[in-house]
């Protein structure tokens, strides 16, 4: 995710802003920039560079930005590729803005502003806000904060938005909705950032902004209010985390932080794409009509492959287009039968995985259409694909993929609904129901995460097991595979995922009182069958850990331990059933003293074969 910093006070802003951005480097970014108000000229100085912060520092050496009021940003591309023109700050007539988040209605606003004669110099959604604020100031808004309010009344979406203006040179104004923003209190100086680590070397006294709040920051202090202008008072908090804890937002590991970021990752991935008014999904303007397709082939590796297996269920059931799922490493060498009437969907959070990239090249060589799903804008796979549905999970630092997996599921659900509407199979009322259910998934995940807790007791019970089995049916089968992968990669316990119906064809021979068997048994069409499998495991003294739907009293009596998730329809269950497996794997790995974020022998991005 992008990083934001701001400073107003007696010191030179540039070194403080660059230092703050450096503290946010761990989050990943593709470009960076600063805007500082020069007190000698009253003008804004702006510097932006693609690549690492060192590039920005070189630019600042060539052209220093003196001044005591400034804002800075590291960008992780969402709208528009990484480039200097798309890097923040964006400025219009002496108003400069930096933004984290996504404005859903930016195209509509951009069209209106263009019709009014305004010109744009970037592909971003952010630039519209600089225009809206400039427009409001031009129309007589008496203060910068008033102009910000006028602009915010027109936008829909998520934002942490920070503004400086030549017309109001002693202040910074900012607003928050869904993306974090925190004020740092200094002595005669004030700081602002998207994350605490950015200002920890200057202050530990902070005030977190809440949803729909606006702040005016001057060297002497800050004024907090709501969108309607009513003042808000909130005492500051003292941050006791050290710098490393602060990077993890207080969590002990990035993996745990990322597990808890999933509701936000899904909400951001859905944002602006669900169209409840037309019971449809907008894939950022990309039109995918499945009536011209012979079939869909999903290719990916590891966790992304498991997302692909669930994508098959989604696309086949909603669009009725035949789907195959293949491991990219197999697909590239098996001389696949594909051609111009097939669509390859390549799923890769990094967008750089060598096998998936090679599979895309192979498909393209056969004239096959290619749609990518990736978390990294302009990475190698999107660059050679016809289009990309980006997940907006933000950078994932833990090697074990968690939030990128569920964000991929969200992208696949969007694609399936979009295709279903165009195939004619998915009628408007059912699409409307799915859209409503999908939009509610982030809240369901939040509920599930807080109800599950840390699962330390489960970890203490099972941490010494030598082998684990995970079994499921339907969409729970890929979740069984994903649960087993998560456990083995960070706890180093041998684990296998199986389709539950396969148990009697071999794996049941492994079951005894030393093998925990995780049975995915949410309520749904496969419930009775999976309960039969569970009973068979118990009959062989297997230790059953069940994942079940809240309120299922029958299940509570049948397992040694039950991990509960909220009730949702079968296609949506993977968003929730994977959560206890992620937390359990994490808790077991921690209990075994492993390096959770960087497990042995593994890399985050596998760019070699
Ligand atoms: O970046 P990708 O999604 O293409 O990566 C694919 C796999 O390497 C990745 O999912 C890997 O299996 C993770 N370590 C799983 O947690």
């Amino acid at each position: 995710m992008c990083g934001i910093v701001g400073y107003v006070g007696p010191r030179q802003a540039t070194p403080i802003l660059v230092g703050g951005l450096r503290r946010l480097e761990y989050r990943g970014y593709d470009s960076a920039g600063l805007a500082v108000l020069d007190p000698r000229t009253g003008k804004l100085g702006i510097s932006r560079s693609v690549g690492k912060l060192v590039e920005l520092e070189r630019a600042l050496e060539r052209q220093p930005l003196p001044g005591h009021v400034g804002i800075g940003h590291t960008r992780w591309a969402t709208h528009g590729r990484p480039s200097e023109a798309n890097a923040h700050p964006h400025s219009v007539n002496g108003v400069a803005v930096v933004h984290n988040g996504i404005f859903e209605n930016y195209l509509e606003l951009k069209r209106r502003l263009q019709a009014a004669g305004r010109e744009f110099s970037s592909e971003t959604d952010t630039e519209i806000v600089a225009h809206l604020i400039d427009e409001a100031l031009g129309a007589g808004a008496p203060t910068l904060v008033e102009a910000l309010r006028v602009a915010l009344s027109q936008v829909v979406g998520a934002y942490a938005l920070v503004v400086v203006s030549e017309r109001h040179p002693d202040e910074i104004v900012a607003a928050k909705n869904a993306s974090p923003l925190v004020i740092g209190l200094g002595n005669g100086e004030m700081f602002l950032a998207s994350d605490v680590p950015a200002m920890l070397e200057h202050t530990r006294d902070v005030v977190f902004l809440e949803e729909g709040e606006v702040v005016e920051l001057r060297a002497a202090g800050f004024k907090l209010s709501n969108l309607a202008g009513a003042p808000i008072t909130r005492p500051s908090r003292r941050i006791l985390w050290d710098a490393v804890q602060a990077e993890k937002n207080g969590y002990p590991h990035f993996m745990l932080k990322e597990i808890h970021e999933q509701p936000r990752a899904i909400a951001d991935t859905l944002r602006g794409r669900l169209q409840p008014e037309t019971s449809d999904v907008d894939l950022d303007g990309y039109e995918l009509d499945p009536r011209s397709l012979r079939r869909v082939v999903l290719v990916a590796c590891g966790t992304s492959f498991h997302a692909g297996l669930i994508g098959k269920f989604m696309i086949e059931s909603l669009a009725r287009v035949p789907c195959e799922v293949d491991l990219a490493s197999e697909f590239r060498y098996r001389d696949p039968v594909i051609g111009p009437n097939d669509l390859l969907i390549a799923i890769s959070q990094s967008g750089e995985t060598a096998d998936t990239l090679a599979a895309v090249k192979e498909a393209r060589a056969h004239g096959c259409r290619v749609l990518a799903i990736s978390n990294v804008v302009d990475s190698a796979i999107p660059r050679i694909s016809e289009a990309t549905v980006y997940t907006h999970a933000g950078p994932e630092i833990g090697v074990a993929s968690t939030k990128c997996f569920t964000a991929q599921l969200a992208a696949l659900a969007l694609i399936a609904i979009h295709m279903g509407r165009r195939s004619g199979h998915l009628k408007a009322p059912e699409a409307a129901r799915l859209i409503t259910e999908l939009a509610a998934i982030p809240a369901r995940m939040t509920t599930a995460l807080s109800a599950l807790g840390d699962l330390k007791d489960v970890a203490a019970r099972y941490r010494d097991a030598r082998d684990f089995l995970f079994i499921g049916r339907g969409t729970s089968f890929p979740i069984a595979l994903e649960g087993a992968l998560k456990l083995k990669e960070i706890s180093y316990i041998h684990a296998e995922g199986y389709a539950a119906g396969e148990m009697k064809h071999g794996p049941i021979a492994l079951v005894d009182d030393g093998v925990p068997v995780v049975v995915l048994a949410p309520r749904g069409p496969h419930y009775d069958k999976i309960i039969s499998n569970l009973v068979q495991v118990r009959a062989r003294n297997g230790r059953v850990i069940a994942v079940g739907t809240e309120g299922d009293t029958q299940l509570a009596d049948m397992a040694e331990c039950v991990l509960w998730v909220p009730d949702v329809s079968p296609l949506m269950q993977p968003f929730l059933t994977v959560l206890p497996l992620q937390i359990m794997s994490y808790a077991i790995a921690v209990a075994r003293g492993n390096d959770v974020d960087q497990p042995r022998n593994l890399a985050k991005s596998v760019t070699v074969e």
Side-chain angles (χ1 to χ4, degrees):
M1 283 303 265
C2 313
I4 285 180
V5 292
Y7 174 77
V8 47
R11 292 193 270 169
Q12 284 295 324
T14 296
I16 294 173
L17 297 174
V18 173
L21 293 180
R22 189 160 302 296
R23 288 284 181 194
L24 300 182
E25 274 196 303
Y26 71 94
R27 299 163 57 86
Y29 63 100
D30 49 57
S31 51
L34 297 189
V36 179
L37 282 156
D38 188 335
R40 301 166 309 179
T41 60
K43 296 285 173 205
L44 270 173
I46 294 186
S47 187
R48 301 183 294 182
S49 312
V50 177
K52 292 293 161 198
L53 264 183
V54 68
E55 300 300 333
L56 180 66
E57 286 175 306
R58 283 192 191 123
L60 289 165
E61 267 167 33
R62 290 192 297 272
Q63 195 191 352
L65 298 182
H68 310 281
V69 181
I71 57 180
H73 192 261
T74 42
R75 175 172 187 253
W76 168 269
T78 55
H79 289 79
R81 70 210 155 81
S83 68
E84 195 175 314
N86 289 336
H88 301 208
H90 291 283
S91 68
V92 175
N93 298 330
V95 172
V97 301
V98 296
H99 165 221
N100 287 356
I102 299 163
F103 292 121
E104 293 174 26
N105 59 339
Y106 85 103
L107 278 177
E108 178 191 325
L109 288 167
K110 191 168 180 174
R111 278 195 282 269
R112 176 186 69 72
L113 290 160
Q114 279 170 328
R118 287 180 172 267
E119 285 175 10
F120 286 79
S121 53
S122 78
E123 304 160 287
T124 66
D125 53 338
T126 301
E127 195 183 352
I128 54 140
V129 187
H131 280 282
L132 293 175
I133 295 171
D134 176 55
E135 189 179 59
L137 287 171
T143 57
L144 189 56
V145 74
E146 215 31 67
L148 174 64
R149 284 201 181 93
V150 172
L152 293 180
S153 68
Q154 300 171 69
V155 298
V156 177
Y159 51 80
L161 185 69
V162 184
V163 189
V164 287
S165 162
E166 290 172 2
R167 280 162 272 184
H168 299 271
D170 301 323
E171 61 177 329
I172 296 175
V173 299
K176 171 201 156 48
N177 182 41
S179 296
L181 205 52
V182 55
I183 306 163
L185 315 184
N187 191 4
E189 57 184 356
M190 301 295 287
F191 306 84
L192 190 71
S194 52
D195 305 81
V196 169
M199 49 200 184
L200 218 46
E201 68 179 291
H202 303 293
T203 180
R204 291 187 164 268
D205 295 317
V206 304
V207 175
F208 286 93
L209 267 74
E210 304 282 353
E211 305 311 329
E213 290 183 351
V214 173
V215 66
E216 297 157 73
L217 225 59
R218 293 188 182 79
F222 71 96
K223 260 197 236 167
L224 202 56
S225 54
N226 66 16
L227 287 175
I232 294 169
T233 43
R234 177 164 315 125
S236 63
R237 262 181 64 182
R238 180 144 267 250
I239 296 291
L240 300 173
W241 307 328
D242 62 29
V244 175
Q245 280 176 314
E247 285 184 354
K248 295 171 186 157
N249 211 8
Y251 289 100
H253 297 97
F254 283 111
M255 183 182 173
L256 190 60
K257 172 176 176 268
E258 287 158 4
I259 287 173
H260 286 273
E261 279 175 349
Q262 290 180 99
R264 201 246 339 117
I266 306 304
D268 283 352
T269 301
L270 299 179
R271 200 178 303 287
R273 291 164 168 171
L274 296 176
Q275 310 278 299
E277 1 17 271
T278 50
S279 304
D280 201 2
V281 160
D282 177 4
L283 297 176
D284 310 332
Y286 177 64
E287 270 302 311
L288 185 54
D289 188 339
R291 285 172 298 188
S292 58
L293 292 178
R294 185 172 58 163
R295 76 192 156 142
V296 171
V297 182
L298 298 117
V299 294
C301 304
T303 287
S304 300
F305 172 72
H306 300 152
L309 292 171
I310 294 165
K312 172 181 161 80
F313 277 93
M314 291 170 166
I315 295 170
E316 288 194 337
S317 94
L318 302 184
R320 302 307 294 165
V321 180
C323 286
E324 273 175 36
V325 195
D326 217 337
L327 290 163
S329 52
E330 290 295 315
F331 177 88
R332 63 185 288 196
Y333 293 120
R334 76 168 161 83
D335 192 13
V337 183
I338 42 166
N341 297 332
D342 299 318
L343 172 74
L344 186 101
I345 301 184
I347 310 170
S348 172
Q349 71 79 22
S350 63
E352 303 286 349
T353 299
D355 284 322
T356 313
L357 185 61
V360 170
K361 287 181 181 161
E362 175 73 17
R364 295 234 83 157
H366 285 78
C368 182
R369 297 177 61 186
V370 177
L371 173 66
I373 296 177
S374 178
N375 198 44
V376 182
V377 172
D378 229 22
S379 47
I381 292 167
R383 282 205 303 274
I384 58 166
S385 301
E386 169 179 316
T388 302
V389 175
Y390 284 107
T391 51
H392 296 302
E396 191 175 64
I397 294 169
V399 164
S401 188
T402 52
K403 64 175 179 172
C404 283
F405 172 69
T406 45
Q408 287 167 347
L409 296 184
L412 286 160
L414 290 169
I415 292 168
I417 297 172
H418 178 97
M419 289 174 78
R421 293 297 286 135
R422 278 146 195 79
S423 74
H425 181 74
L426 182 63
K427 304 293 180 222
E430 176 60 2
R433 189 195 67 70
L434 284 164
I435 285 171
T436 306
E437 194 176 16
L438 203 48
I441 286 294
R444 294 287 164 101
M445 291 176 110
T446 303
T447 310
L449 287 167
S450 82
L452 284 161
D454 60 18
L455 299 186
K456 277 189 185 154
D457 50 341
V458 177
R461 208 156 159 185
Y462 299 104
R463 54 171 276 180
D464 295 321
R466 222 189 49 195
D467 306 283
F468 261 74
L469 285 174
F470 290 72
I471 60 172
R473 286 172 176 261
T475 53
S476 289
F477 165 45
I479 294 298
L481 296 176
E482 176 59 9
L485 177 63
K486 228 56 325 152
L487 186 69
K488 67 186 134 196
E489 67 181 334
I490 57 170
S491 75
Y492 317 143
I493 295 175
H494 169 245
E496 298 286 344
Y498 271 99
E502 279 292 292
M503 283 296 277
K504 56 189 167 302
H505 300 292
I508 203 160
L510 294 172
V511 174
D512 64 20
D513 60 5
V515 181
V517 183
V518 178
V519 182
L520 286 137
R523 283 249 182 237
H526 304 290
Y527 181 75
D528 291 339
K529 296 271 180 221
I530 194 82
I531 292 297
S532 305
N533 297 124
L534 186 157
V535 170
Q536 287 157 13
V537 169
R538 288 226 323 175
R540 282 144 188 96
N541 296 325
R543 305 174 66 186
V544 173
I545 304 168
V547 174
T549 307
E550 278 160 4
D552 181 349
T553 45
Q554 179 188 354
L555 193 60
D557 296 334
M558 300 179 87
E560 198 171 273
C561 159
V562 188
L563 308 173
W564 299 110
V565 293
D567 193 12
V568 289
S569 69
L571 268 192
M572 304 290 162
Q573 281 169 355
F575 286 103
L576 298 167
T577 48
V578 76
L579 300 177
L581 306 190
Q582 293 170 341
I583 299 172
M584 182 179 78
S585 301
Y586 169 80
I588 291 177
V590 170
R592 289 166 68 98
N594 294 354
D595 183 349
V596 174
D597 285 332
Q598 289 182 319
R600 68 186 184 201
N601 307 338
L602 296 178
K604 184 67 193 163
S605 192
V606 187
T607 52
V608 290
E609 199 183 334

